[in-house]
Amino acid sequence: MKRYILPLVLLAPIPALAGVNTERLGISDMAVFRSADLLTVNFRINPRDYKLRSSDRVVLTPAIVSGGDTVRLAPVVVAGRRAWYYQTRKGNDDGALLRAGNDVQPSYAESTPYQPWMENSTVAMLADTISECDCDDAVKGSGVIDLARLDYRERVAAPSLRYVVPTDTLDKNFSLSGRANVRFMVNRDAIDWSYAGNRAELDSILASVNAVKDDPDATVKEIHIRGYASPEGPYANNVRLARGRTEAVKEYVRQHASFPADVYRTSFVAEDWQGLKAWLTEHSYPGWQEMVAFIDDSSVPVETKNDIFRKRFPREYPDLLRTAYPTLRHTDYKISYNVRKYFDVSEIREVMQKNPRKLSQNELYLLAKSYPQGSKEYAEVFAMAASLFPDDATANLNAASAAINMGDLAGAARFLERAGDSSEADYARGVLAAMNRDYEQAQTLLRRASAAGIADADAALAEIEAILKSAKDGNVTIL
């Protein structure tokens, strides 16, 4: 008995079937099904089209193959006339026995336990042609023909990412704010340089002013100084003190910063009740809820509010005078300025390295686009834009898209919390949901974006449909 290669032109021409290779083996209705635990191979085989010598038989063994892993299924034997009689008499032990030339098409269905390596594998037919005689001209060997390619690997959506060009404003307006705890003696509005570190506090204001003044690209438009007094003593006296103390700080800055008088603007808060409310809440001061309710009561006359407060909370008041009230006497400042525009990307890159706060959103966008999309620098620039403009929807939307591109889905979710409710935001949230495999939410958001005219949404929806279909049916290609 000798073995030889199955001729690949073994069969006579037959009508087109599901694939070229299955057609060559007389196989029809080829199908592969996967359940949670099993992989099942189904097909029909037609022995009528096998042109074998009378003494030959072909052992066809379906197998699942991937790299060095193989699982063989039950074989099917197609035999010539003499070989068929011989196998019938002696008892065929190779598998289901079919006689070549017969016009029957039995169904084949075999299952095997599904194994992880099968997610990317091939269904192949191992074909051994065996002669039941000692013919010297027999060609020895075996043949392998691929029948189907299986791809059950989980697919993850990767829709196109969109970036919104920020609006290019006419002027680049910025502001720098701070607080100086300038201390004043009781009932005085003149600055005492030796009292409570006042010189250092005032110098901190000047340092901020000079940082803007000394920048050749910046022009100061306004310096706003706002003084606060604590709610103690007569209200009229507190007005006098707050106003006088604010003017004293302004004069100090004016004398040392040499700006025109019209650059300065002042305001004051005679009794900083909101500051006291914040302090009570932050420190969870005993009985703070009742005190906050009193502070929020707009029916209490402002002129007598502190006197009523002192009488309503007689035990707490002395302690508050010592702990809370000193923090209410402070001076806030805000420096408003604009910066010239930068048009050259290399200059924008240099400013980014030295002082990114001088850049507009549009300039940051131009810089980001100078880097390859998906690069670390690309994402870093958009993240910087979101940190410099934390309440701007466009800045957060672009930062979210860049984060998705880098695989930082958690970071993208944080940016999208501040990205607004535009159709572009719907699209980005839909993409993020798809990346997180929340396809139901993704479809809802992407359909909304599509209805609003976002062209990429339709392609993203089609990709999700393909993924869902693949998850249900598998990706099986009949060869």
Side-chain angles (χ1 to χ4, degrees):
M1 181 183 298
K2 297 184 179 180
R3 298 173 182 265
Y4 54 90
I5 297 174
L6 173 67
L8 299 185
V9 291
L10 181 71
L11 307 179
I14 59 176
L17 300 173
V20 174
N21 288 355
T22 52
E23 178 182 339
R24 293 163 76 182
L25 289 176
I27 289 175
S28 61
D29 299 335
M30 178 80 186
V32 182
F33 302 100
R34 174 197 167 188
S35 65
D37 303 317
L38 295 175
L39 188 71
T40 302
V41 177
N42 287 1
F43 58 81
R44 290 180 180 275
I45 184 166
N46 189 350
R48 179 191 64 189
D49 298 306
Y50 277 69
K51 307 305 180 185
L52 296 177
R53 292 187 299 183
S54 180
S55 60
D56 294 346
R57 60 189 168 92
V58 181
V59 180
L60 301 170
T61 306
I64 317 300
V65 182
S66 178
D69 296 307
T70 301
V71 171
R72 296 184 179 219
L73 305 179
V76 177
V77 179
V78 180
R81 185 177 62 83
R82 287 176 56 194
W84 186 84
Y85 281 116
Y86 178 81
Q87 290 293 316
T88 300
R89 286 196 302 270
K90 82 175 187 70
N92 169 60
D93 58 2
D94 286 327
L97 181 62
L98 304 175
R99 181 171 172 176
N102 279 4
D103 192 14
V104 294
Q105 296 187 42
S107 297
Y108 177 94
E110 286 290 327
S111 298
T112 185
Y114 181 82
Q115 301 180 51
W117 60 262
M118 294 177 181
E119 69 173 7
N120 184 28
S121 59
T122 300
V123 178
M125 188 69 82
L126 313 180
D128 292 309
T129 300
I130 304 169
S131 177
E132 304 293 358
C133 68
D134 291 327
C135 304
D136 292 334
D137 60 348
V139 181
K140 299 177 182 180
S142 300
V144 179
I145 298 179
D146 293 338
L147 301 182
R149 186 172 296 114
L150 312 181
D151 188 353
Y152 294 110
R153 292 172 294 185
E154 183 179 11
R155 294 177 58 188
V156 178
S160 299
L161 295 168
R162 297 172 61 88
Y163 296 87
V164 179
V165 180
T167 303
D168 189 11
T169 57
L170 183 62
D171 293 315
K172 290 165 54 180
N173 296 315
F174 298 93
S175 65
L176 179 62
S177 299
R179 170 170 293 184
N181 293 310
V182 180
R183 305 300 190 194
F184 292 85
M185 300 296 289
V186 176
N187 208 30
R188 300 284 300 276
D189 59 11
I191 299 174
D192 186 338
W193 298 107
S194 62
Y195 183 64
N198 279 343
R199 187 175 296 278
E201 293 295 327
L202 287 163
D203 285 346
S204 70
I205 302 177
L206 284 179
S208 298
V209 171
N210 290 332
V212 179
K213 184 185 72 171
D214 296 339
D215 186 341
D217 295 340
T219 302
V220 174
K221 295 298 183 181
E222 181 182 86
I223 300 175
H224 180 201
I225 298 175
R226 185 177 181 88
Y228 293 79
S230 56
E232 55 184 306
Y235 178 77
N237 191 52
N238 288 335
V239 170
R240 178 186 66 81
L241 290 173
R243 179 187 291 116
R245 292 169 177 176
T246 301
E247 285 296 320
V249 173
K250 184 202 78 172
E251 281 303 307
Y252 175 80
V253 174
R254 187 186 64 78
Q255 290 171 14
H256 291 81
S258 64
F259 283 111
D262 60 0
V263 166
Y264 296 93
R265 184 168 71 89
T266 60
S267 60
F268 62 88
V269 175
E271 296 181 342
D272 189 9
W273 289 107
Q274 293 306 309
L276 178 59
K277 174 181 173 180
W279 189 95
L280 291 168
T281 304
E282 179 184 350
H283 291 80
S284 297
Y285 194 82
W288 67 270
Q289 295 96 332
E290 185 181 356
M291 295 184 205
V292 167
F294 173 83
I295 293 171
D296 289 339
D297 187 353
S298 60
S299 67
V300 180
V302 65
E303 294 82 4
T304 57
K305 191 164 190 170
N306 63 55
D307 189 49
I308 297 173
F309 182 83
R310 177 175 56 82
K311 292 176 180 178
R312 179 169 296 186
F313 305 102
R315 288 184 300 178
E316 295 87 350
Y317 190 77
D319 183 62
L320 292 175
L321 283 176
R322 180 179 58 84
T323 57
Y325 278 45
T327 68
L328 307 181
R329 307 171 196 128
H330 57 86
T331 303
D332 291 354
Y333 61 91
K334 179 179 179 182
I335 306 163
S336 300
Y337 61 98
N338 60 31
V339 177
R340 73 173 179 88
K341 291 187 177 183
Y342 307 106
F343 300 97
D344 183 75
V345 171
S346 61
E347 186 179 25
I348 296 173
R349 186 174 291 112
E350 182 178 353
V351 175
M352 172 74 173
Q353 294 172 350
K354 294 180 178 178
N355 187 1
R357 293 186 177 278
K358 293 167 62 174
L359 296 174
S360 68
Q361 274 199 72
N362 191 265
E363 289 161 343
L364 288 164
Y365 181 88
L366 293 175
L367 177 59
K369 287 298 183 177
S370 72
Y371 296 110
Q373 185 168 333
S375 66
K376 178 183 177 182
E377 295 81 3
Y378 188 86
E380 285 178 344
V381 174
F382 278 124
M384 176 61 73
S387 70
L388 293 174
F389 303 94
D391 298 322
D392 186 87
T394 297
N396 283 283
L397 182 58
N398 288 338
S401 294
I404 292 173
N405 207 4
M406 294 294 289
D408 181 10
L409 304 187
R414 290 192 295 271
F415 287 126
L416 286 174
E417 290 176 358
R418 303 189 300 272
D421 299 317
S422 66
S423 56
E424 292 285 358
D426 282 339
Y427 178 82
R429 292 187 179 103
V431 170
L432 180 61
M435 298 288 284
N436 282 320
R437 299 176 178 82
D438 185 352
Y439 296 120
E440 182 177 354
Q441 175 71 359
Q443 287 175 317
T444 298
L445 290 163
L446 291 170
R447 288 186 185 117
R448 199 157 68 199
S450 175
I454 303 298
D456 291 330
D458 291 335
L461 285 166
E463 184 178 355
I464 291 173
E465 288 293 341
I467 289 173
L468 294 175
K469 185 177 186 302
S470 175
K472 179 182 178 182
D473 303 332
N475 188 3
V476 178
T477 304
I478 306 300
L479 304 174

